[in-house]
């Protein structure tokens, strides 16, 4: 039988589970620390864009009637510095989009697939490729 709250579990299976979890957490902590000391810039293998992707997913998933609520929550979470960084990242993403389109096309992806992955229309991807082709032919 196990207990709840801050008390230790009394069931042998729960005790074993807690000990195993503690060993695993300690191993992960030591592994992250060793990787950080070795100069690994991302020792936890965390996705560096995870928070940005979460914001994007929340924004696109918010229905029209809940968008204001979502934006209010974001306004409470984000600092002006955060918003500036996101705005600059958005501008960088827009500026790099044609290069990403070209790179993906060079890897053999078809424009409709590129469009789907980037959230563009296929006609926009075709236009980007056409603009790049015309710029290189001059």
């Amino acid at each position: 039988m196990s207990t709840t709250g801050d008390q230790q579990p009394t069931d042998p299976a729960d005790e074993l589970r807690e000990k195993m979890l503690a060993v695993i957490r300690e191993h992960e902590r030591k592994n992250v620390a060793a990787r950080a000391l070795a100069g690994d810039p991302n020792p936890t293998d965390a996705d560096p864009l995870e928070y940005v992707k979460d914001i994007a997913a929340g924004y696109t998933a918010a229905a029209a009637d809940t968008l204001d609520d979502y934006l209010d929550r974001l306004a409470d979470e984000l600092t002006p510095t955060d918003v500036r960084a996101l705005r600059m990242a958005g501008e960088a993403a827009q500026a790099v989009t044609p290069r990403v389109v070209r790179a993906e096309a060079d890897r053999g992806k078809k424009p409709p697939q590129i469009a789907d992955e980037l959230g563009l229309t296929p006609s926009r991807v075709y236009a980007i490729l056409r603009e790049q082709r015309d710029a290189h032919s001059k």
Side-chain angles (χ1 to χ4, degrees):
M1 169 185 315
S2 63
T3 60
T4 60
D6 292 332
Q7 299 173 345
Q8 294 296 318
T10 56
D11 180 40
D14 287 340
E15 288 178 26
L16 178 60
R17 183 176 19 264
E18 289 301 316
K19 287 179 183 177
M20 289 175 61
L21 287 172
V23 169
I24 291 169
R25 282 191 290 270
E26 179 65 14
H27 172 73
E28 288 174 351
R29 187 192 65 72
K30 286 181 180 180
N31 189 33
V32 167
R35 288 175 61 181
L37 284 174
D40 186 337
N42 188 7
T44 62
D45 292 330
D47 181 353
L49 297 178
E50 183 176 352
Y51 186 67
V52 174
K53 290 175 183 175
D54 288 346
I55 290 173
Y59 183 75
T60 57
D65 58 331
T66 62
L67 182 58
D68 281 339
D69 293 337
Y70 179 71
L71 294 176
D72 287 343
R73 285 193 309 276
L74 271 182
D76 289 341
E77 284 179 29
L78 299 173
T79 67
T81 304
D82 296 336
V83 173
R84 179 189 171 109
L86 288 168
R87 287 182 58 244
M88 296 302 294
E91 291 176 21
Q94 186 173 1
V96 78
T97 296
R99 294 173 190 219
V100 171
V101 167
R102 166 57 44 209
E104 294 301 301
D106 289 347
R107 290 185 189 103
K109 282 189 184 174
K110 302 294 182 201
Q113 182 182 1
I114 297 169
D116 184 53
E117 290 176 4
L118 290 176
L120 300 172
T121 63
S123 63
R124 180 64 189 129
V125 171
Y126 283 114
I128 290 169
L129 293 171
R130 189 172 43 256
E131 290 163 8
Q132 290 177 350
R133 184 188 66 234
D134 292 347
H136 290 311
S137 66
K138 291 181 182 183

